[in-house]
Amino acid sequence: MKLCVVGTGYVGLVAGTCFAESGNDVMCVDIDQKKVAELQNGKIPIYEPGLEELIRRNTANGRLRFTSDLGVAVKESLVCFIAVGTPSDIDGSADVRMVLQATADVAGAMPGYRVVVLKSTVPVGTADRVRETMSEHTLHPFDIVSNPEFLKEGAAVDDFMKPDRVVIGGNSERALSLIKELYAPFVRTENPILVMDNRSAEITKYAANAFLATRISFVNQIANLCDKVGADVADVRRGIGFDRRIGHYFLFPGVGYGGSCFPKDVRAIIRTAEENGTDFSLLKSVEAVNEQQKHLLVEKVRAYFGNDLHGRKFAIWGLAFKPRTDDMREAPSVVIIDQLLAAGAEIAAHDPEALAQAQKVFGDRISYHRMNYDTLTDADALLIVTEWNEFRRPDFQRMRELMKSPLIFDGRNLYEPAEMRQEGFTYYPVGRPAVVQS
Ligand code: NAD
C-alpha cells in the first residue's frame, strides 16, 4: 500500500518505518526541513532502540522516503497518517492546531479519495472537527479514521511491531478494512484490532494514559507513607502486585512521571471533563501528587544539607524522562536541577543518550559528562533520576574513591539498602528504609 505519515517525530518516524518494514511504500513528511534533510542523509534525529537499523534498511530498499513536500506525498498515497504534536495549551487542553493545519494541507493537496488517519493523541470530537476542516478545503471524498498510538518511547519499535491491541475508530467500512489490512502483519499473534466509533477511540487513548498515570501517583503516595512509617514499599509493591486484579506493572515509585504524554494527556482529559460539566477530581489529584513528587529528591537533599547549597556539588545520573530515550520533555530532572541550581549548587550530569537534548534545556548552567563516573569527582552526593540499566551494577568502590562523601539519593530505587550498607554508602531510596552509616 502507498501511504504517507505527516509529522516525523517519535510517533510518526516509528510508525512510518514499521509500515515500510512490513512492505508498504511510505513517505514521511515534516515541515522541519532540517529534520528532513538529516533523515535524507541517514542521520536519525531521535534515539530509539532498533530504529536506526530499520530506517537504514528501508531507505536502502526504497520503501521509506523523507520529504517536506506534503503535496507530492499526498498525491502518491492512498492513506495519510497524521502524527503531528498536540502539546498542552495554556489552559491544559490539547492544542490541536497542528492537526487541523496538517489535515487542511492534506485536503488541499489530495487529487481524489483519501483516508486520513488521526494517530496524534487528540481530544474527543477532534475527528468531527477534522471532517469539517477538510470539507472546507476539498470536494474530493475522504474518510477519517481515529487510530491512537500506544507505543512507549524506549521500546517504540517493539511496541509498534507487537502491539497489545490496535484501536481504530470510524464509520466507513471501506476505510476501516484498509487500516485493518495495514495492521494485519503486526497482529499475527491474535492480538486484537478493536473497532469502535471515532469518539470512543479518542477517549480510549486518554483513558489509558490517565489510568497509568494514576497508578504511578498512587504508588508514589504509598511510598511516601512507607517513608513516614518505616515500611518498605518494595515489599508492599510485591504484596499487592500478586493480586491478579492489580498486577505488578506500573507500580514503581520514583520522582514522578514526565515525558511528552502523561502530563499533557492528564491535563487534557481534565479539561475535556470540565468543558463537559464533569469534575475529574481523581485526575486533578493524580496531577497534584505528581507535581509534588518531582520535589521529593531535593527535599531529601535539603533535609540532609540544609537549604543553602552553595559550595556543594551534586552528580546527576539520568536526565531523560525515562530510560532508553533522549526525550527531555517534562522530565523530572528539569525540576530537580533547577531547584538545586537555585539553592546555589553545582551540577555535573550524565545521561547515556539525552546530553544533546539536555544542553538545549540547561545550556552552560551545568556540566555534561559522557561517562557516569566522571560526574562523581569531588561530588557531595549522587542523585539518581532516571533508571538506565547501566546504572544498576556500578563499581561502588570506584564511586567511593571519587566522591567527597559516599552519599546517594536514589529517585529510582536501583539498589538494595542492605548492599549499600555493606558498600559503605549512606543511601536514601524512595519509600524504603534509608541507610545511614554510623
Ligand atoms: P514530536 O513533536 O516528536 O513530532 C511531531 C512532528 O510533527 C515534528 O517533527 C513537527 O515538525 C511535525 N509537524 C508539525 N506540524 C506539521 C505539519 N503541518 N506538517 C508536517 N509536519 C508537521 O511529537 P511525537 O512525540 O511524535 O507525538 C506526536 C503525537 O503522538 C502527539 O499527539 C502525541 O501525544 C502522540 N503520542 C506520542 C507518543 C510518544 O511517546 N511520544 C506516544 C503515543 C502518542
Side-chain angles (χ1 to χ4, degrees), residues 187-202:
V187 292
R188 290 167 57 83
T189 48
E190 304 300 329
N191 285 357
I193 296 179
L194 304 171
V195 179
M196 51 188 83
D197 60 77
N198 293 95
R199 285 179 176 248
S200 304
E202 288 166 338

Side-chain angles (χ1 to χ4, degrees), residues 6-12 29-32 35 70 83-86 98 101-102 105 119-122 149-153 205 260-261 264-265 327 329:
V6 182
T8 309
Y10 286 85
V11 167
V29 187
D30 208 287
I31 41 169
D32 183 340
K35 194 182 256 190
L70 179 122
V84 300
T86 47
M98 282 190 272
Q101 183 59 54
D105 293 347
K119 190 155 256 322
S120 301
T121 302
V122 290
E149 179 51 55
F150 298 97
L151 63 75
K152 304 183 287 295
E153 284 177 27
K205 173 64 193 175
S260 65
C261 291
K264 88 170 167 61
D265 292 350
D327 199 342
R329 290 178 282 186

Side-chain angles (χ1 to χ4, degrees), residues 405-427:
S405 54
L407 172 59
I408 299 176
F409 296 91
D410 183 354
R412 299 295 180 176
N413 288 353
L414 293 193
Y415 311 125
E416 277 305 313
E419 190 186 354
M420 298 315 286
R421 180 175 297 286
Q422 274 184 351
E423 291 286 350
F425 278 85
T426 293
Y427 179 63

Side-chain angles (χ1 to χ4, degrees), residues 197-383:
D197 60 77
N198 293 95
R199 285 179 176 248
S200 304
E202 288 166 338
I203 284 277
T204 298
K205 173 64 193 175
Y206 283 101
N209 274 359
F211 187 75
L212 293 170
T214 302
R215 281 177 76 102
I216 295 174
S217 279
F218 175 81
V219 79
N220 278 337
Q221 285 216 309
I222 292 287
N224 295 343
L225 182 59
C226 287
D227 250 346
K228 294 275 184 242
V229 301
D232 187 338
V233 74
D235 289 329
V236 176
R237 188 175 56 74
R238 275 194 292 272
I240 61 173
F242 278 104
D243 185 326
R244 272 174 292 181
R245 293 168 302 176
I246 297 174
H248 294 286
Y249 297 105
F250 258 77
L251 282 181
F252 293 90
V255 291
Y257 59 75
S260 65
C261 291
F262 287 0
K264 88 170 167 61
D265 292 350
V266 168
R267 285 194 290 268
I269 193 170
I270 291 171
R271 277 297 296 157
T272 299
E274 272 167 11
E275 284 160 15
N276 289 280
T278 313
D279 180 18
F280 213 144
S281 52
L282 175 65
L283 288 181
K284 286 181 180 166
S285 299
V286 166
E287 195 189 18
V289 169
N290 195 58
E291 285 311 304
Q292 187 54 39
Q293 199 70 12
K294 292 184 199 163
H295 300 271
L296 181 80
L297 271 196
V298 178
E299 279 163 18
K300 289 181 189 233
V301 168
R302 285 181 193 279
Y304 190 93
F305 289 107
N307 285 336
D308 184 1
L309 299 177
H310 283 92
R312 302 276 177 201
K313 175 182 170 182
F314 295 101
I316 305 275
W317 285 7
L319 297 165
F321 85 93
K322 69 173 187 175
R324 294 178 293 282
T325 182
D326 60 348
D327 199 342
M328 288 290 298
R329 290 178 282 186
E330 301 213 31
S333 66
V334 178
V335 174
I336 291 166
I337 290 175
D338 278 346
Q339 286 184 338
L340 293 173
L341 289 173
E346 182 193 338
I347 303 293
H350 163 77
D351 188 284
E353 293 294 339
L355 290 185
Q357 295 300 329
Q359 225 145 1
K360 292 182 193 160
V361 178
F362 302 112
D364 58 6
R365 294 185 295 145
I366 67 174
S367 65
Y368 305 90
H369 302 266
R370 298 210 159 277
M371 278 292 295
N372 55 342
Y373 294 109
D374 291 347
T375 60
L376 298 174
T377 310
D378 292 329
D380 289 278
L382 163 66
L383 276 63

